[in-house]
Amino acid sequence: MSEEVKLIVDGKRRDGRALDELRPLKIEAGVLHEADGSALVHWGGNKVIAGVFGPRECLPKHEANPYKALVKCRYTMSPFASKEEHSRSGPNRRSIEISKVIRQVFESLVVSELYPMTQIDIYVDVLQAEGGTRASAITAAAVALADAGIPMKDMACGLAVGKAEDQIILDLGKEEDNSGQSDVPIAISHRDKKFLLLQMDGLLSRDELEQALDMGIVASDKIHELQVDAITRRYSNLESDGVEL
Amino acid sequence: MAETAHDIIMHDVKRSVVLELLRRGKRMDERALDEYRPISVQRDVIDTAEGSALAKIGTTQILIGVKIDLATPYGDRPEEGIFSTNCELLPLANPSFEAGPPREGSIELARVVDRGIRSAEVDVDDGFTKGFFLEEGKVLALYLDIYVLDHGGNMTDAASLAAMAALSSTKIPKYEDGKLIRNETASMLDIKRFPLATSLAKIEEFLLADPTMEEKVACDANITISTTKDGNVAAMQKGKGEFTKQDVLDAVDVAFKKGDELRKYIL
């Protein structure tokens, strides 16, 4: 970076947050009519929508597993999701990798043995992006799966921890992601606090990593609360107003 | 997609149900023949886009994002900007949508919406791309993306409504030293005729506005007609079936009336 911009001044970040503070997070379940389950997540400047179908017939049929359902995931980004140039729609190398790691989160959670020979499709689309889209995607997908009534062993909370200005921070925004020192996207199961997604770039010492993971575990409880609240609201009022962006 | 035995049987079943109701003066959801489902339009819903809108007609929900970029003009129109429309039927929008390259349905939808806008707002003397020239070899390009979130029938009208709402609130970024300054607005995109699509389905002697998916499957013929604020037809696309001249003119009359009603949501 040519311009030196301080990401943290006096323990406060550029948007006024404390080091361990989440951006505003809002979750709405059941926003789509055609999908079996759906959720919309507003998280800072991210707007992410998830839709789930299934269990339904596995296609192509030769992929079907006689012992369990296949979990499939497709993460994409809208061509207008970034403040910068228009981008091509559909998957690219980045989104294909993210689709795979999100799928692996839910392969660990969905009780797929209940539905042999079928597939469960998770579609997530980032309508508007501002850093931390995969965390938003996982948080949304987990709620959409619950909304679809698909049995899961536990709930997944997606979030990111990292490091900027030599300090460990929670829920990196776009700027902190781009010019911070490290970014660690994670997904944590709520009950047993296991890491279902763990990626990292940048440099962290062993102690810093431990501190970051602990910060993530604490924050995941807050995210879980909002997920449960979204599903509770959904089932106390089945009339949906649809998507509110 | 190939027609399966299931499709053929469902067509017959749906047709007989829809028709029986129509003969008693009713539609499946109790609407009048020329009545739309509830409509809502919300503008400026995507902060990262130069223009955006979300339109809902019944359970159909369509998001439009407009991006403006720098581009090289087409060789045969060196002083004109670029207007491009694309449509993505997201697989989360309907159980029958599959991920993958665009199929005929999404391509046709994009092209029908594009044609109405292009006829009324681009390929005219005061078209908006005429003002997109910056300097030799440099113009603005406007990308209109139709993002189908929820497909509950009549995507075309919802897409067209969302598109005009998004375009008429599109901010053209400032151009300075060969670059776009995206957080500064030079001007608003100037929309004049507000073309809007009206889709109609014909079943025997009945003409239905805003057909649901069942009605679309059951109908004998269908057509989409784009009309403008100043009383012109800007684009037409017949789907399946056949129309007499009188059928077409009747459909145009309904399209003008419905177009004016739809325009109230965005003017």
Side-chain angles (χ1 to χ4, degrees), chain A residues 31-37 42 44-45 47 49-53 56 59 74 76-91 123-130 240-245, chain B residues 42 44-50 54 56 58-61 63-70 86-88 90-100 143-147 149-153 182-183 213:
Chain A
V31 294
L32 299 177
H33 302 94
E34 295 293 323
D36 297 327
H42 291 233
K47 292 180 182 175
I49 193 161
V52 166
F53 292 90
R56 60 179 175 181
L59 290 172
R74 183 181 191 259
T76 47
M77 220 155 166
S78 81
F80 42 81
S82 140
K83 197 78 198 154
E84 307 309 316
E85 291 199 336
H86 177 262
S87 60
R88 285 179 64 119
S89 55
Y123 299 117
V124 198
D125 197 279
V126 179
L127 305 175
Q128 180 181 305
E130 197 235 340
S240 166
D241 296 333
V243 174
E244 300 290 338
L245 287 171
Chain B
Q42 200 190 348
D44 297 322
V45 290
I46 297 292
D47 310 335
T48 48
E50 273 71 48
L54 174 70
K56 300 175 192 172
T59 60
T60 295
Q61 307 189 72
L63 172 65
I64 301 275
V66 174
K67 286 297 287 179
I68 292 182
D69 283 349
L70 293 176
N86 189 50
C87 171
E88 198 70 21
L90 295 186
L92 55 74
N94 194 274
S96 69
F97 291 173
E98 286 168 44
Y143 299 98
L144 181 98
D145 281 283
I146 303 169
Y147 234 49
L149 301 179
D150 214 354
H151 171 30
R182 290 195 189 264
N183 42 20
M213 278 203 271

Side-chain angles (χ1 to χ4, degrees), chain B residues 7 28 43 62 86 98 106 110 119 127 132 138-139 152 154 189 195 218 238 249 256 262 266:
Chain B
D7 293 337
M28 290 172 89
R43 285 182 161 101
I62 295 187
N86 189 50
E98 286 168 44
S106 76
S119 305
F132 279 3
K138 226 168 213 182
V139 294
N154 194 10
L189 189 70
K238 187 194 74 71
L249 295 176
F256 273 121
L262 290 169
I266 56 169

Side-chain angles (χ1 to χ4, degrees), chain A residues 39 43 46 66 107-108 110 162 185 208 213 218 220 229 245:
Chain A
W43 194 338
N46 294 302
E107 279 175 342
S108 305
V110 169
E208 286 170 333
L213 296 181
V218 172
S220 72
D229 178 59
L245 287 171

